[in-house]
């Protein structure tokens, strides 16, 4: 059984102009491992050619042999950690993708999802293109190869003008690194400095690990070109209303990261405070579902005046997914990840804080676990609104019929998970806690209001919504 959480597609990291580029990229990917655990890869440039190493597995396993870095020479490198949302989980889909074409060699790493990739792919195949992977990212390389524009920057801009959806991209050639972010700015991307070199990362926590200086976030719709002459910025794409993903704050980003102009930890803590204002309850203690529920639980405890306790302890030596070897022990799924502290929970009225409820099966088992540990009452509080719609911008979520809040009322969900009470943070409270100001967010997973028009259906993707 898979303990289901929405899963981020991937993370990207790049270094330009540093003698330890591949080693630093390895460390950057290590810091971004939470954004993808299926596969990873690094492509480096020595100024004359590109070199690659990639495989299925975690960063520490794929790059565990120091000899690998001897095969990744040069002062520039880009890397990728992946969880597949578009394309199969197989070796041919491991990024970065590297190709040779008429203008030289190029590699690309992509975080996001192109919603019209199939339409563009069909057009390219009609003109003779042959695809080697099942990923949407490969579409961009074919568009680059067939472009008549002279400069690489113009070819990239033309290619991005043909696609729609969420993308943070890193391109690497023999002599330059180029970063790009979609006009809506769905996913985070930042620029850093390390000595004379430059760094690009999905999250600022990766800059912290290698002691790079955070310079700024790459803007929505911006293309950043990094060469030996420095950094230049371009905005060739049609402007659009920004729509950064609010679920990055709820769950995906590491709490020590700085994204969309804010610290993730502080935002999550404010979610908890706002949740306490909206759904206060008479109780004895507040406990988080670790690890993502910890900041919100701290905020809830501080706002409500209740003691914060670690009533559930997480086993950190397994990945985000766990498949039991036999059907007969499938019910141990939650226990593999979490174990209750009975002396803390026994006889207590407990508020359990989690970031979201997806299918409801995991929440049901957690509530049962807390009760079995002796809790007198179990009150579940969720630091986001009900997740009722799937995401098509680079997050692996179930179809709508599998999302419990799409077809059940809050009280029906409460009865299913067997909690005494259940309270979700309101959409208004979520936005107030973020402090949106004039900056809107994509909250399609809560509201169903998708910021990008999809092919064929106009307002919604032609996918299984019901």
């Amino acid at each position: 059984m898979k303990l289901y959480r929405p899963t981020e597609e991937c993370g990207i990291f790049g270094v330009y102009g540093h003698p330890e580029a591949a080693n630093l990229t390895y460390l950057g990917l290590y810091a971004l491992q939470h954004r993808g655990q299926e596969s990873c890869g690094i492509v480096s440039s020595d100024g004359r050619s590109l070199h690659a190493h990639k495989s299925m597995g975690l960063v520490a396993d794929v790059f565990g042999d120091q000899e690998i870095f001897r095969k990744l020479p040069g002062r520039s490198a880009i890397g990728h950690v992946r969880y597949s949302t578009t394309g199969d989980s197989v070796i041919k889909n491991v990024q970065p993708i590297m190709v040779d074409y008429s203008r030289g060699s190029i590699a690309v790493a992509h975080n996001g999802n192109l919603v019209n990739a199939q339409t563009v792919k069909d057009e390219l195949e009609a003109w003779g293109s042959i695809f080697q992977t099942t990923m949407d990212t490969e579409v961009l390389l074919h568009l680059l190869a067939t472009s008549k524009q002279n400069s690489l920057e113009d070819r990239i801009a033309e290619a991005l003008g043909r696609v729609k959806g969420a993308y943070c991209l890193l391109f690497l050639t023999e002599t330059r690194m180029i970063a790009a972010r979609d006009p809506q700015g769905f996913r985070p991307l930042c620029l850093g400095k390390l000595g004379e070199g430059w760094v690009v990362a999905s999250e600022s926590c990766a800059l912290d690990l290698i002691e790079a200086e955070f310079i700024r976030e790459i803007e929505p719709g911006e293309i950043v070109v990094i060469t030996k002459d420095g950094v230049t910025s371009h905005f060739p794409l049609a402007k659009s209303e920004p729509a950064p993903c609010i679920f990055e704050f709820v769950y995906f980003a590491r709490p020590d990261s700085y994204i969309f102009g804010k610290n993730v930890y502080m935002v999550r803590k404010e979610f908890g405070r706002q949740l306490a204002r909206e759904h206060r309850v008479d109780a004895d203690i507040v406990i988080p579902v670790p690890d993502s529920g910890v900041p919100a639980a701290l905020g809830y405890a501080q706002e409500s005046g209740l003691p914060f306790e670690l009533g559930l302890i997480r086993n950190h030596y397994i990945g985000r997914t766990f498949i039991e070897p036999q059907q007969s022990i499938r019910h141990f799924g939650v226990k593999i990840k979490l174990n209750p502290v009975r002396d803390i929970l026994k006889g207590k009225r407990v508020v359990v804080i989690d970031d979201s409820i997806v299918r409801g099966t995991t929440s049901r088992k957690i509530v049962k676990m807390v009760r079995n540990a002796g809790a007198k009452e179990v009150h579940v509080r969720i630091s986001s609104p009900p997740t009722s719609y799937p995401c098509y911008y680079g997050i692996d979520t179930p179809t709508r019929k599998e999302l419990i809040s799409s077809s059940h009322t809050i009280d029906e969900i409460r009865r299913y998970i067997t909690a005494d009470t259940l309270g979700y943070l309101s959409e208004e409270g979520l936005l107030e806690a973020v402090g949106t100001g004039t900056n809107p967010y994509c909250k399609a997973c809560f509201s169903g209001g998708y910021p990008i028009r999809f092919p064929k259906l106009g307002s919604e993707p032609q996918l299984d919504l019901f």
Side-chain angles (χ1 to χ4, degrees), residues 221-409:
E222 183 179 12
I223 295 177
V224 173
V225 181
I226 307 174
T227 69
K228 62 181 178 61
D229 297 320
V231 175
T232 57
S233 176
H234 310 266
F235 289 87
L237 305 175
K239 287 193 174 182
S240 183
E241 189 75 14
C245 172
I246 204 160
F247 220 89
E248 290 279 356
F249 282 126
V250 172
Y251 176 67
F252 294 121
R254 252 177 52 170
D256 51 334
S257 286
Y258 181 91
I259 64 169
F260 309 149
K262 298 179 183 297
N263 173 257
V264 176
Y265 177 87
M266 298 305 293
V267 170
R268 287 181 185 165
K269 202 169 178 183
E270 188 57 34
F271 286 164
R273 291 193 184 98
Q274 183 64 26
L275 186 59
R277 297 180 195 116
E278 294 182 6
H279 296 286
R280 195 179 297 266
V281 64
D282 288 332
D284 300 309
I285 59 171
V286 176
I287 69 168
V289 175
D291 290 322
S292 57
V294 172
L298 282 166
Y300 190 100
Q302 290 175 3
E303 182 68 24
S304 63
L306 296 174
F308 171 89
E309 297 283 0
L310 293 177
L312 295 169
I313 303 300
R314 182 185 172 199
N315 177 2
H316 287 86
Y317 294 94
I318 58 173
R320 282 192 175 185
T321 60
F322 177 84
I323 300 174
E324 295 83 349
Q326 297 180 24
Q327 179 78 16
S328 60
I329 63 169
R330 182 162 291 193
H331 67 282
F332 286 118
V334 172
K335 289 185 177 181
I336 290 291
K337 283 197 168 185
L338 300 172
N339 195 43
V341 183
R342 294 180 179 273
D343 287 349
I344 289 176
L345 302 174
K346 188 175 181 180
K348 301 288 180 41
R349 298 170 298 170
V350 181
V351 181
V352 179
I353 307 290
D354 204 356
D355 58 84
S356 59
I357 296 177
V358 182
R359 292 189 175 106
T361 52
T362 299
S363 298
R364 180 184 174 97
K365 290 174 182 179
I366 288 172
V367 171
K368 181 180 179 181
M369 182 188 297
V370 173
R371 284 200 195 281
N372 288 344
K376 186 163 60 174
E377 297 175 6
V378 182
H379 305 275
V380 175
R381 296 294 180 266
I382 304 299
S383 61
S384 66
T387 305
S388 302
Y389 299 86
C391 175
Y392 301 107
Y393 305 130
I395 296 171
D396 179 32
T397 52
T399 56
R400 191 176 181 199
K401 64 186 178 183
E402 296 177 281
L403 294 166
I404 190 170
S405 63
S406 70
S407 57
H408 294 76
T409 66

Side-chain angles (χ1 to χ4, degrees), residues 110 112-118 120 136 139-140 143 159-167 182-184 186 392-393 452-456 458:
H110 173 208
N113 191 44
L114 307 178
V115 300
N116 68 333
Q118 189 60 50
V120 178
D136 56 347
V139 166
L140 294 168
L143 291 173
L160 297 182
R162 292 279 307 278
V163 298
K164 297 178 181 179
Y167 55 81
D182 67 78
Q184 278 77 25
F186 284 104
Y392 301 107
Y393 305 130
I452 294 180
R453 296 176 65 83
F454 290 81
K456 298 181 181 180

Side-chain angles (χ1 to χ4, degrees), residues 164-193:
K164 297 178 181 179
Y167 55 81
C168 285
L169 297 161
L170 273 176
F171 297 91
L172 184 69
T173 70
E174 296 87 346
T175 59
R176 65 185 61 195
M177 184 170 76
I178 298 177
R181 191 174 172 207
D182 67 78
Q184 278 77 25
F186 284 104
R187 303 278 152 236
L189 194 64
C190 63
L191 178 68
K193 192 87 165 62

